[in-house]
Amino acid sequence: MSPPTTKSNSGLCDFCCGVSPYTVSSVRTTSTGHQLGYHHRTYEDLEISSRRCPLCKLMLDELIKSSHPIKLRKGKVHQVLLSSDKYHSGGHTRREVCGITVGVTNSNARAFLHAWADEPSDAALSGDVTGRTLHPAADSPGAFHQIQTWLNTCQRSHTECDSVPLADADTSSITRFPTRLLDVGTNHDKTPFIRLTDRQNAMGPYAALSYCWGPEATQLRTLKSNLAEHATGINICTMPATLRDAVTATRNLGLRYLWIDALCIIQDDTPDWLREAPQMGLIYQNAHLTIAATGSSSSTGGLFHPRDTTTNQPVVELSYQPPGGGGRKLRTFFVGPHPPSFDKVVTASVWNSRGWVIQERNLSRRIILFAAGQLFFECIRHSVGEDGLVLVAVRGRCPFRFDTCN
C-alpha cells in the first residue's frame, strides 16, 4: 500500500506532466553526441516552479540536500536532466525504472529519487517501473515474504549460487555441518527456549549470523561452565538483541538451525577455539544463507531497526500513457525521496569494516542484509534492494571453494 500522495498529476507543471518511465529512459542525438534522459527546466526556473508544482519542489529539495552548497557556473545554462537508473547497451529504449537521477548541467548538483509502482498495477506488471515501496518494518510479514521470494528465486534460477559444493564427494556428509548448531525450533513454536546441539543431531539447512560483537561484557557466550546448560536450553529473552532477532529471522524463514560463533564455539576452551576458528570459512560457505546485522555496531543493536512510518514524506503520484496510441489505459507510479542506498548503509557500515566480514561476506552463497532503512539480498549473481534496485556483481565475490582461496 502506497503512502498518501498528491492527486495524480494534480498541480504539476507541464514539464513534470511529461515525466514517465519512457521519457527518463530516452536518448536524444545532438551535435555533441547522445543525451540521455528527459530535459526538464533550467535550475533557475525550477526554483520558481517549485512554489506551485509538487514534483519541482521535491526535486529542488533533494538537490539542495544532496549537493549543498550548489555551485553554478556563471554564464552557463543549468539544464535539469532526469534520467533512469536503467540504461542498457545496444538500446536505450528499455525502461524498468526504479530510480531517477536529477542532474543539473554545468554544476555539481545531483540528487536521486525513488520511483515505484504498486505490484498489481499495470506500471509494475508491464515492467515499466521495477521500484517497489518499502515495508513498514523489517520484521513484518511482508518483509519476510520478500526475503523468501528472493531466496526461492535464487535457488530456482541462479545455478552459480549452488556451484559451491557442500562437501567433496569423498568426504563424509557430517563435514557439511558445524560441530555445534542452535536448534531454534520452528516459527510455530511458542517456547522461548532454544538449545545448543551437536551436528549429529542437526543435519539440515542452517543459517549463519554475521554481526559485530561490540563490548564483550554485553555478549552472551558459551563457556565450559555453561555448556551443559546451553545444551538443555537458552532463554531467548536473555540473549542480546541481534542474537535474539536472528532466532526470529531463522524461524520466520523456515529454517530450524542457526550458527552463532559466540554460542557455537566454547569461548574459554582454547583447543575448541583452535579447532573451530579455521572452519569458519566453510561454515559460512555451507550455510543455506547468512543473516548479516549490517545496521548494528554491537550485539545489542538488533536486526529490526525502526523505520519512519510517518505520512509526511513528500510523494508525488504520476500518470502516463505508454507508447502505441489506440487509447491505451493510463498507468500510474509514484516518486519520492530515495531510501538509504547500499553504499551508505552497507558498504560504509561498521559491520563491513570488520576483518572477519571478508570471509563471511565473500564465501556466503546468499546473504540477507538487515541494514538501517531497508533490506538487501546478496548472492553470487547480484545484490537487490527492498526498493527494487538491482546491483549486478557488486560483491566481486570469490567463486572458488574456501580451501582454494586460503
Side-chain angles (χ1 to χ4, degrees):
M1 182 177 179
S2 297
T5 66
T6 62
K7 187 178 179 181
S8 180
N9 289 7
S10 174
L12 296 180
C13 68
D14 291 342
F15 283 94
C16 287
C17 284
V19 175
S20 79
Y22 293 88
T23 57
V24 299
S25 301
S26 64
V27 176
R28 303 182 185 192
T29 302
T30 68
S31 58
T32 57
H34 294 301
Q35 291 184 342
L36 308 178
Y38 179 64
H39 288 222
H40 202 274
R41 300 176 174 276
T42 65
Y43 182 80
E44 292 81 1
D45 288 341
L46 189 69
E47 291 181 313
I48 298 172
S49 180
S50 65
R51 299 169 191 168
R52 59 185 182 276
C53 173
L55 184 52
C56 284
K57 184 178 189 313
L58 172 63
M59 290 190 289
L60 180 63
D61 289 347
E62 293 302 305
L63 283 169
I64 292 173
K65 284 193 298 184
S66 298
S67 308
H68 188 74
I70 294 175
K71 298 177 181 178
L72 303 177
R73 296 175 62 183
K74 291 183 179 181
K76 296 291 184 179
V77 176
H78 302 106
Q79 180 80 51
V80 176
L81 299 176
L82 308 183
S83 57
S84 167
D85 61 331
K86 295 287 185 181
Y87 282 117
H88 301 264
S89 59
H92 300 284
T93 58
R94 293 184 61 183
R95 56 277 185 204
E96 299 180 7
V97 174
C98 176
I100 297 175
T101 300
V102 183
V104 180
T105 59
N106 297 310
S107 81
N108 66 327
R110 199 176 194 195
F112 304 94
L113 303 178
H114 182 206
W116 72 93
D118 292 331
E119 292 199 42
S121 70
D122 290 336
L125 294 174
S126 65
D128 288 355
V129 183
T130 57
R132 298 293 180 264
T133 187
L134 303 186
H135 297 93
D139 58 345
S140 65
F144 279 114
H145 176 74
Q146 176 64 77
I147 295 172
Q148 196 63 66
T149 299
W150 285 331
L151 291 171
N152 291 343
T153 300
C154 180
Q155 287 180 272
R156 183 176 62 251
S157 307
H158 302 175
T159 54
E160 67 270 35
C161 298
D162 278 324
S163 62
V164 180
L166 289 177
D168 293 330
D170 59 352
T171 304
S172 169
S173 62
I174 203 169
T175 61
R176 301 179 184 182
F177 304 98
T179 301
R180 303 176 193 89
L181 284 165
L182 294 166
D183 185 344
V184 303
T186 70
N187 195 34
H188 302 292
D189 291 339
K190 301 300 181 182
T191 174
F193 289 93
I194 63 174
R195 65 185 184 88
L196 188 65
T197 186
D198 59 45
R199 63 186 173 195
Q200 285 85 355
N201 300 317
M203 288 191 184
Y206 66 90
L209 178 64
S210 175
Y211 68 112
C212 300
W213 270 45
E216 192 169 285
T218 64
Q219 192 65 233
L220 176 66
R221 299 176 297 157
T222 293
L223 306 171
K224 288 186 287 187
S225 60
N226 62 14
L227 176 61
E229 178 186 344
H230 284 184
T232 301
I234 303 170
N235 192 326
I236 60 175
C237 296
T238 66
M239 301 173 74
T242 301
L243 279 62
R244 183 173 64 247
D245 290 349
V247 171
T248 299
T250 302
R251 287 176 171 176
N252 275 278
L253 294 173
L255 298 177
R256 181 166 180 172
Y257 301 108
L258 172 64
W259 187 87
I260 301 176
D261 56 358
L263 296 176
C264 295
I265 299 175
I266 306 172
Q267 298 298 312
D268 60 350
D269 187 331
T270 300
D272 192 70
W273 173 259
L274 293 176
R275 182 174 58 250
E276 296 298 309
Q279 302 301 313
M280 288 177 65
L282 285 171
I283 288 170
Y284 284 97
Q285 178 179 285
N286 290 343
H288 179 70
L289 66 98
T290 294
I291 296 170
T294 63
S296 298
S297 58
S298 75
S299 63
T300 61
L303 296 179
F304 311 130
H305 304 287
R307 296 183 175 183
D308 183 6
T309 58
T310 61
T311 58
N312 59 1
Q313 288 283 350
V315 175
V316 180
E317 181 179 347
L318 295 167
S319 292
Y320 67 97
Q321 189 167 49
R328 301 182 72 180
K329 181 181 177 182
L330 288 176
R331 296 172 182 173
T332 300
F333 71 110
F334 306 91
V335 177
H338 206 284
S341 70
F342 186 91
D343 284 343
K344 287 185 178 180
V345 296
V346 175
T347 305
S349 67
V350 174
W351 169 82
N352 198 46
S353 69
R354 296 169 56 244
W356 283 106
V357 85
I358 295 174
Q359 68 173 358
E360 294 170 7
R361 189 178 181 193
N362 284 351
L363 294 175
S364 296
R365 66 185 68 197
R366 306 176 188 94
I367 309 179
I368 304 299
L369 301 150
F370 286 86
Q374 68 165 312
L375 300 170
F376 295 92
F377 171 75
E378 278 193 343
C379 62
I380 292 174
R381 177 173 294 189
H382 63 200
S383 291
V384 58
E386 190 179 343
D387 60 0
L389 184 63
V390 177
L391 303 173
V392 179
V394 69
R395 255 201 282 185
R397 335 173 14 109
C398 174
F400 309 108
R401 283 184 55 79
F402 176 67
D403 48 13
T404 307
C405 301
N406 227 358

